[in-house]
Amino acid sequence: MVCTRRLFLGEGGAKLNSPQSEEILSAGIDIGTSTTKLVISRLSLRNTSGTTHVPRIEITSKEVLYRSPIFRTPLLKEDIIDMDKIEEIVLEEYRKAGVSSNDIQTGAVIITGETATKSNASDMISRLSDHAGEFLVATAGPDLESMIAAKGSGAYAFSTKTSKTIVNIDIGGGTANIAVYRFGKLQGTCTLHIGGKLIEYGNGYITYIAEPVREVIKKLGLSLSETGPADTDKLQRVTDYMADVIGKMVNGELREDEELLLGKPCDLIDPIDVIMFSGGVSECIYYAENCHGKEFGDIGHLLAESIKQASFFNTKEVIIPEETVRATVLGAGTQTTEISGATIKVDASSLPLRNLPVYTIIFDGAFDEMLNKIPFLFKEAASVYDPYNEGQSFAVYLSKIPLLGFKDIQKLANSLIKAVSMKQVKQPLVIILERDLARSLGQALSVKARDLQLVCIDQISAEHGDYIDIGSVLKSGVVPVVVKTLTFH
C-alpha cells in the first residue's frame, strides 16, 4: 500500500494568475480500536518561485489549531461501529474548534487497527468523508497507518536529518503499525496483531480475547480463556511473546509464518539503528508513572512493561517521539500533504472526483506498439472497474513514458481519444503521468477533442490498486490530489 500523498497542482496549463499565498484548513480524524480523536490544522500555501518563473505552490507552514480530547471509540455491538455517535463527536469538536464542515478543505479520516474489521467500517469512513468536509478523504489500511503514524510521531522528520535508520512502532489497541525510514525514504512497513485491547478483563476475569492471540495462547500452552481468571503471570507471558515478536522484526528475523503477522514481514534493507514508539501503549513505555497503579482493563500496561524488559529495547537507541497517542491523527491532519508541479490541464467543472480506481499502463515496449495497445487496455480497464457499464469511472496512470517530441505527443493524444471513445458512458478522461507532460498532452487532447472533459495531472506515482481523489480548484489556482489505498482488513 502506498502512502497517502496530497499534491497541489496548478489548474490549467498556463502560468498562475493567482494570489501568492493562501491558507486552508485541514482536519485529521482517527477512528481506532480503542480511541477516536481529531485535530484541526492550518496549512499555509505560497508561490515560492520568482514572478518570471513557472509557479511552484508549496506548503510553507503547518499549524495545529485544535486537538480534541481522546474519546473511546463507540460501538453498537462488538462488530458494529456507532456511526451516529462518531459523527456527533466530530461535529461537536468542530463546533468547539470554531469551524464548520464547510471550512474544511483538505485532510483525512482514517480507520485504524481492529476497527477496520467492523462490518460497517467502509460505510462509516465514507459517511464521514461526505459530511465532515468538502475534501476530507477516506483512507484505511495497515501500511498507510504505519506511514502516517511515522510522520505524526516525528520519526520521518528524524530520518531526514540523520544518517540513521529509524523504525516507528505505533502500538494501539489492536495492531502495531511499523514503518522504517532512512534519509527520508520509506524502507518498508509491516503490521502485527499486537495491541493493548487484544485481551480485556474486568473484576479479575477475562472478558475478551482476540482471535490471533488465541493461537499464541495455544502455542504457549496457557490456560487462558474468556470468562476465565485474568492471571497476571500468564497474561505477562503473552505480552512477553508479543515483545519478542517486535524484537524479531527490529532485528530482521521476523518470519512469514508468525501468528501475529498481518500480511508480509518488512524486508529490511539496512539494520535498524533507532527505535521510536507511538500510539496508546507508548504512553506506558515512556511515561510509566502515568500508568502505574491504574486499572485499564486490558493488557496495554503489561505489554509496555514486556517491551521495556526485552533485549532489543535495551540494546538499540530508543528515543521519545514528538507525539505519542496522537501521532496517527496528527499525521493524517498535517503530514499527508506534498506539493507538485503547477502546470497541469484540468476541466474545473469536472471536479471534485473521488475514489477513482487507478489502472496502470506501463510503456515497457516500443512506443508505437504501446500506442496501438492503449485502446485495448482501456477496454480491459473498463471490464475490471465497470463490467456492467454502470458508469464507474477510472483513472489511467501512464508509467515509464519515454522522452517525447511534439509529433509523439500528438500520436499519444490520438490513441487516448480513440480509447476513450469506446466508453459507453460519457465521463471525464482522467490521466495521471509520471513525467512532466500534463500541459503538453492536455493541450493536444483539448484541441483534438474540444468536447472532452479532461483531467490531466503529472509528477505523481501510483500503482494498480490505488485510488485517487482530485479536489476543486483553490483560490491560488491549485487543486488538491490524494493518491491512496482503500483497504479494510
Side-chain angles (χ1 to χ4, degrees):
M1 186 181 301
V2 297
C3 179
T4 303
R5 303 181 295 282
R6 184 166 294 102
L7 311 102
F8 289 86
L9 305 159
E11 188 276 327
K15 183 176 177 180
L16 298 179
N17 296 311
S18 57
Q20 294 295 298
S21 63
E22 180 179 6
E23 292 182 341
I24 60 174
L25 292 184
S26 172
I29 303 170
D30 176 15
I31 307 170
T33 304
S34 305
T35 60
T36 293
K37 40 207 174 291
L38 173 151
V39 297
I40 304 292
S41 305
R42 178 165 51 216
L43 308 181
S44 297
L45 281 64
R46 182 176 294 276
N47 181 6
T48 58
S49 68
T51 56
T52 60
H53 295 82
V54 173
R56 178 166 181 81
I57 308 299
E58 294 185 349
I59 294 176
T60 55
S61 68
K62 305 169 186 177
E63 179 186 4
V64 177
L65 302 178
Y66 179 79
R67 303 171 189 236
S68 78
I70 298 173
F71 299 92
R72 187 173 181 86
T73 298
L75 301 176
L76 292 174
K77 296 181 181 179
E78 183 179 308
D79 63 340
I80 301 177
I81 304 167
D82 189 337
M83 295 196 293
D84 291 338
K85 184 62 177 177
I86 290 283
E87 189 168 24
E88 179 184 318
I89 288 172
V90 169
L91 296 181
E92 174 61 17
E93 293 308 302
Y94 276 15
R95 186 190 66 78
K96 291 179 181 178
V99 302
S100 71
S101 58
N102 292 331
D103 298 322
I104 303 301
Q105 293 166 284
T106 191
V109 48
I110 62 175
I111 190 160
T112 59
E114 291 294 302
T115 312
T117 68
K118 307 306 181 188
S119 62
N120 61 341
S122 180
D123 291 340
M124 175 73 261
I125 207 165
S126 297
R127 175 170 168 177
L128 266 188
S129 65
D130 286 341
H131 295 94
E134 179 184 354
F135 193 60
L136 191 65
V137 303
T139 61
D143 292 332
L144 179 59
E145 297 162 32
S146 300
M147 291 179 277
I148 288 178
K151 291 189 174 183
S153 71
Y156 166 79
F158 177 92
S159 75
T160 65
K161 300 172 184 177
T162 75
S163 61
K164 296 180 178 180
T165 300
I166 183 169
V167 59
N168 189 76
I169 306 173
D170 187 81
I171 309 177
T175 55
N177 301 109
I178 299 166
V180 182
Y181 281 91
R182 182 177 176 84
F183 298 125
K185 301 292 186 181
L186 180 69
Q187 302 294 296
T189 63
C190 75
T191 301
L192 302 171
H193 287 292
I194 293 177
K197 304 295 288 185
L198 295 179
I199 300 181
E200 298 180 67
Y201 56 85
N203 299 319
Y205 290 91
I206 295 173
T207 58
Y208 173 73
I209 300 176
E211 187 59 38
V213 183
R214 295 175 191 268
E215 295 299 316
V216 171
I217 291 171
K218 183 179 179 180
K219 181 177 182 177
L220 296 175
L222 299 174
S223 56
L224 290 172
S225 62
E226 291 182 2
T227 72
D231 186 308
T232 301
D233 290 338
K234 294 178 181 178
L235 293 175
Q236 192 80 66
R237 285 188 62 189
V238 174
T239 58
D240 286 346
Y241 180 90
M242 291 179 173
D244 183 59
V245 171
I246 294 174
K248 289 179 180 178
M249 180 273 143
V250 169
N251 294 320
E253 300 168 353
L254 191 62
R255 295 173 46 177
E256 290 195 14
D257 60 355
E258 169 55 51
E259 289 89 349
L260 296 183
L261 178 64
L262 195 166
K264 294 183 178 181
C266 178
D267 294 326
L268 298 180
I269 300 172
D270 300 292
I272 289 171
D273 303 306
V274 180
I275 303 172
M276 184 181 286
F277 291 93
S278 60
V281 172
S282 71
E283 284 283 297
C284 292
I285 293 175
Y286 295 113
Y287 311 109
E289 65 277 9
N290 295 339
C291 298
H292 183 69
K294 289 187 177 180
E295 183 61 47
F296 292 95
D298 60 47
I299 59 171
H301 63 295
L302 296 176
L303 176 57
E305 188 61 31
S306 292
I307 289 172
K308 289 191 292 182
Q309 296 301 319
S311 60
F312 78 89
F313 187 89
N314 295 287
T315 56
K316 297 283 187 179
E317 180 182 358
V318 179
I319 61 176
I320 299 176
E322 297 173 6
E323 293 288 343
T324 53
V325 68
R326 287 185 173 87
T328 301
V329 72
L330 280 168
T334 66
Q335 300 295 325
T336 57
T337 301
E338 298 178 24
I339 304 300
S340 188
T343 53
I344 66 170
K345 185 68 175 176
V346 301
D347 180 351
S349 65
S350 301
L351 303 175
L353 295 170
R354 294 176 183 265
N355 294 337
L356 294 183
V358 175
Y359 184 87
T360 302
I361 297 177
I362 302 174
F363 280 70
D364 54 0
F367 182 69
D368 287 340
E369 291 179 2
M370 290 305 303
L371 293 182
N372 291 331
K373 289 182 181 179
I374 284 178
F376 300 100
L377 293 173
F378 257 73
K379 186 176 181 180
E380 180 179 287
S383 69
V384 172
Y385 298 122
D386 192 20
Y388 303 110
N389 296 317
E390 296 173 322
Q392 170 63 54
S393 188
F394 55 87
V396 176
Y397 174 53
L398 304 181
S399 177
K400 298 185 178 180
I401 294 180
L403 289 172
L404 300 181
F406 176 79
K407 290 183 178 180
D408 287 333
I409 290 174
Q410 300 299 310
K411 290 194 291 184
L412 177 57
N414 287 334
S415 182
L416 290 170
I417 290 171
K418 180 180 178 181
V420 77
S421 67
M422 299 169 62
K423 296 178 70 174
Q424 296 184 19
V425 180
K426 187 177 180 180
Q427 296 165 323
L429 172 61
V430 182
I431 301 295
I432 309 168
L433 298 162
E434 196 172 26
R435 302 264 328 267
D436 187 7
L437 288 170
R439 178 174 61 180
S440 300
L441 179 59
Q443 289 175 341
L445 286 165
S446 296
V447 169
K448 293 175 181 294
R450 296 186 181 277
D451 61 342
L452 177 66
Q453 288 185 302
L454 177 65
V455 177
C456 190
I457 57 180
D458 58 23
Q459 298 184 25
I460 294 176
S461 296
E463 299 177 5
H464 268 308
D466 285 346
Y467 286 76
I468 187 167
D469 288 5
I470 305 174
S472 300
V473 180
L474 300 175
K475 293 178 181 178
S476 53
V478 299
V479 295
V481 177
V482 180
V483 180
K484 63 190 182 181
T485 302
L486 291 172
T487 303
F488 296 90
H489 304 338

